Amino acid sequence: MSETAPTRKIIIKDGLDNQDYLCITLIMGLMGAFFWAIRGTGGFGGTDGGALAGLGWAMLWVGFSQYGGYAKQRPYGHGAMAAAIICGITFGGMTGYGVYTAWVRGEFYLDYPQGMRPVGVWTGYLALFLCGIHWGGVTGAFMAWCAPAKAIGPLGWVLRILSGIAGAWLTLIFVRANPQLFLPFYSEGLYEIEENKTCIRALGSIQNIAPHVGLYLGFLAFEIARRDWRAVKVMAIMALGFAIPFAIGGAWHNGHSMSLQIDWWKNWEMTIGLGGGLSFGLVFFLFNQPTNPVVRPTTKIERILGLGFLMCATTWIVIRSAHEGFIKTHELTQLYDTRAGVAVFCILGALFMFVLWTVLSMRENQKLLQHPEYPVLPPKLVITILAIIVLAGYIT
């Protein structure tokens, strides 16, 4: 993710009006609901599901940045943004949050479904809010780094990273020192009993979430300290754009007691994806309109590693996970022996795609890469990857 010094702001008309940007935002949101509905389905748990959603939003972002022209003049219209979105959403998948959905219903379990106690519903909403904060916030930080309003040098990068690490470390220390602030009935010693597996799971989950939240807070504090208010706004919008639907959407879990045969969990996940996608669209509208007449430099290394490698790797993850999810969803145990073969096939396909991308990128003339109308990604490739994601969703 490269840094460039700010230049004189000049408004450029890109052929898009407010209705176009509204449509872009709605598409980001609706497709986000689809992405997040797949995330968490068989084969797409954890980081694998995050990789799928991140890849989908990254392709939409790059595609819409090229729509209407002036992609190179858009502050966040270059290939590094794809890497930022993919890495941010995938990184968020390293945390779990399923144990807190029962708290939203006012139910606290010692070892689900045994040992239920009533608990304040606010505890569940708070835990889900914190999970959404870091998922969107860290992604927003990576995005903001792609186009800082204020230039930053090597020393600034060191301080930025150290700020995030310090935030993660201090937050984890605070949570471990004060678990009673986050975990119901902690003073009763329930979390020390080996048989209370759900309690132990909640303890581990909140300690996993803590450094992720602290990482975001550390990055945010650094941008506030150096007064890069555009970065602060991007990070805040993305954090709240995920945290609010994470928490409010938790209300879907209260429908389990109803007679309607609806997948309430999936409605909650789709709410998260919808809200997260709308936050992407809002950032796109507010901060990604072309305002700079200077074409942003694009290096071949950035094109190969920052975009090509991650794009190929996550596409491989999507195809492999779709196969895994297909087996689990349809209980096709006879296909279990094919998993290794499919994995090898996906790896070889991704490797071939990456080598081809590398060769083509190296052969491109550097002047051509800087041309205002030269696409960050070929539109056909963007559509193909989105089609793979949609197909993966239907398969699973």
Side-chain angles (χ1 to χ4, degrees):
M1 302 172 194
S2 58
E3 304 283 3
T4 55
T7 55
R8 187 165 57 94
K9 185 175 180 180
I10 299 178
I11 304 298
I12 300 175
K13 185 65 176 177
D14 61 357
L16 303 180
D17 56 24
N18 288 341
Q19 282 190 330
D20 293 315
Y21 281 104
L22 177 61
C23 288
I24 289 173
T25 301
L26 290 176
I27 293 173
M28 288 276 200
L30 294 174
M31 286 300 294
F34 182 76
F35 298 151
W36 220 264
I38 303 173
R39 207 217 72 77
T41 306
F44 285 102
T47 55
D48 289 352
L52 178 140
L55 178 63
W57 272 316
M59 292 301 100
L60 288 175
W61 187 284
V62 170
F64 285 134
S65 292
Q66 295 170 182
Y67 180 69
Y70 297 101
K72 296 289 181 63
Q73 282 79 19
R74 297 181 186 274
Y76 297 98
H78 46 85
M81 277 297 291
I85 294 172
I86 291 172
C87 290
I89 299 298
T90 302
F91 181 71
M94 296 176 68
T95 61
Y97 48 80
V99 68
Y100 306 114
T101 58
W103 297 5
V104 171
R105 301 193 301 270
E107 301 171 357
F108 176 90
Y109 291 93
L110 300 179
D111 182 17
Y112 184 85
Q114 306 298 324
M116 195 276 284
R117 291 187 176 190
V119 69
V121 298
W122 67 270
T123 57
Y125 286 112
L126 175 60
L128 295 180
F129 184 86
L130 292 175
C131 193
I133 276 281
H134 84 74
W135 211 316
V138 174
T139 302
F142 293 167
M143 293 166 62
W145 295 353
C146 294
K150 293 185 176 182
I152 184 172
L155 177 59
W157 266 107
V158 172
L159 293 176
R160 170 184 276 166
I161 300 302
L162 289 178
S163 295
I165 294 174
W169 181 64
L170 291 173
T171 304
L172 180 59
I173 289 177
F174 178 80
V175 170
R176 286 186 170 179
N178 302 279
Q180 71 279 3
L181 299 179
F182 306 93
L183 298 167
F185 314 117
Y186 186 84
S187 59
E188 298 181 22
L190 301 177
Y191 298 83
E192 300 175 3
I193 301 175
E194 185 176 351
E195 289 75 16
N196 295 341
K197 295 180 180 178
T198 303
C199 286
I200 295 173
R201 180 185 171 195
L203 174 62
S205 182
I206 203 70
Q207 291 180 349
N208 187 17
I209 291 172
H212 285 73
V213 174
L215 186 69
Y216 163 66
L217 295 177
F219 289 150
L220 182 64
F222 178 82
E223 301 302 338
I224 292 175
R226 76 189 202 98
R227 300 189 178 184
D228 188 339
W229 302 120
R230 184 170 71 183
V232 171
K233 292 174 184 177
V234 170
M235 295 170 67
I237 290 173
M238 289 301 300
L240 294 176
F242 274 80
I244 292 174
F246 243 102
I248 294 180
W252 283 106
H253 294 288
N254 293 310
H256 288 289
S257 60
M258 299 176 64
S259 59
L260 292 175
Q261 297 299 310
I262 295 177
D263 191 337
W264 302 103
W265 185 291
K266 194 57 63 180
N267 282 332
W268 170 53
E269 292 186 316
M270 291 175 67
T271 301
I272 296 170
L274 175 63
L278 292 177
S279 66
F280 273 111
L282 182 59
V283 170
F284 190 97
F285 168 68
L286 292 177
F287 306 109
N288 200 36
Q289 297 189 33
T291 58
N292 193 334
V294 178
V295 176
R296 181 192 177 279
T298 299
T299 66
K300 292 180 180 180
I301 294 298
E302 176 189 321
R303 182 176 173 83
I304 293 170
L305 296 180
L307 180 59
F309 175 77
L310 284 173
M311 177 182 62
C312 297
T314 47
T315 301
W316 161 65
I317 291 173
V318 169
I319 297 175
R320 178 191 59 79
S321 297
H323 174 262
E324 189 82 14
F326 181 78
I327 291 176
K328 292 181 179 179
T329 301
H330 300 282
E331 299 180 349
L332 301 174
T333 55
Q334 69 275 18
L335 292 179
Y336 267 77
D337 293 338
T338 69
R339 288 184 296 175
V342 170
V344 171
F345 172 79
C346 292
I347 292 174
L348 292 177
L351 182 61
F352 172 77
M353 183 180 175
F354 177 63
V355 171
L356 179 61
W357 177 265
T358 300
V359 171
L360 293 176
S361 298
M362 292 300 294
R363 291 177 61 183
E364 294 289 9
N365 186 287
Q366 190 64 39
K367 291 183 178 180
L368 182 61
L369 292 179
Q370 312 312 324
H371 193 278
E373 300 303 321
Y374 190 82
V376 175
L377 277 178
K380 290 182 180 179
L381 181 58
V382 173
I383 294 173
T384 299
I385 293 177
L386 288 173
I388 291 174
I389 293 174
V390 172
L391 180 61
Y394 278 107
I395 287 176
T396 56

